[in-house]
Amino acid sequence: MQLMRYARAAVVAGVAVAALACGSDSTSSKQVLDSVSVEPRDAVLTVGTLWPHVHSTARDRTGVEIKTTGRWSSSNESVATVGITAGAIAGIAVGTAIARNTVTYNGVTETGESSITVVAPSDTGTVTATVSAAFTPQLRAVNRSGSAATVTWNFEAEPHTVTWDSEPPGASVADISATSSTSVSREFTVAGTNEYHCSIHAGMAGSLLVQ
Ligand SMILES: [Cu+2]
């Protein structure tokens, strides 16, 4: 009889310890939102351009991606609109705007931004390949007047390449090999999206939209 009472007390104590351990575990594994980044981080669009490939990435304090969706908005809808859920950017009128993605996760709110410049349709455009290993603007739109558009890359004092990842069907534009401190132009005759990267710097990439 005495033995049974001890056994029952031990079982009750064991359940209490298990419940405590479970509670403290769920608290320590909670992810805390730290940053939201938007790509392209900057863009020069022409009036009438629609760019559907806008991405937002939310990360916690250790850099791990948090799978969640935010709310898109534009600081100036008369210049550029941003789709509420998909985040497609449309150039409406000449001017500047900020495309924002606001994420709230576990009670923390952070906003990622992309600066949008909308210009009149033009058959020429420039992109700077910077010393800090970025193509800026990361997205550039140009319009073919007649048959072709010309894009010029201005290379700062750090070698970069323009290496194509994808081109529209029928396009075959030559890569630009490692170049610094000069400018190189390429002509585009086929409408569509061209994606490229620098083969020297990991993560250095850009997009070109030929209309
Ligand atoms: Cu580079």
Side-chain angles (χ1 to χ4, degrees):
M1 197 64 198
Q2 188 76 358
L3 195 68
M4 282 288 284
R5 207 172 296 138
Y6 281 132
R8 203 174 300 132
V11 167
V12 170
V15 168
V17 166
L20 263 175
C22 187
S24 67
D25 183 58
S26 69
T27 304
S28 64
S29 65
K30 187 172 167 180
Q31 273 184 302
V32 179
L33 176 63
D34 184 63
S35 68
V36 177
S37 60
V38 174
E39 288 214 347
R41 58 183 184 281
D42 58 349
V44 175
L45 298 177
T46 56
V47 174
T49 308
L50 178 70
W51 181 255
H53 313 295
V54 183
H55 300 288
S56 170
T57 307
R59 295 191 189 279
D60 71 9
R61 288 181 290 195
T62 60
V64 173
E65 186 173 345
I66 297 173
K67 293 288 182 191
T68 183
T69 52
R71 190 174 51 81
W72 291 95
S73 61
S74 168
S75 68
N76 191 344
E77 298 218 321
S78 63
V79 169
T81 59
V82 187
I84 298 297
T85 51
I89 299 175
I92 305 297
V94 173
T96 59
I98 306 289
R100 295 194 174 100
N101 186 247
T102 301
V103 175
T104 299
Y105 188 80
N106 282 342
V108 178
T109 298
E110 293 286 343
T111 299
E113 295 189 342
S114 173
S115 48
I116 312 297
T117 302
V118 180
V119 298
S122 172
D123 61 2
T124 60
T126 59
V127 176
T128 301
T130 72
V131 287
S132 54
F135 291 112
T136 183
Q138 194 173 26
L139 164 64
R140 187 69 167 89
V142 285
N143 296 66
R144 298 166 303 154
S145 80
S147 60
T150 302
V151 176
T152 301
W153 280 265
N154 297 320
F155 292 89
E156 293 186 342
E158 166 76 21
H160 302 294
T161 74
V162 171
T163 305
W164 300 109
D165 297 309
S166 66
E167 295 176 277
S172 180
V173 176
D175 287 350
I176 300 173
S177 59
T179 302
S180 60
S181 303
T182 189
S183 297
V184 179
S185 297
R186 289 287 182 266
E187 200 171 77
F188 297 83
T189 57
V190 181
T193 299
N194 303 258
E195 304 278 359
Y196 63 95
H197 71 279
C198 168
S199 63
I200 299 168
H201 300 98
M204 183 179 178
S207 303
L208 200 64
L209 178 59
V210 178
Q211 298 276 83

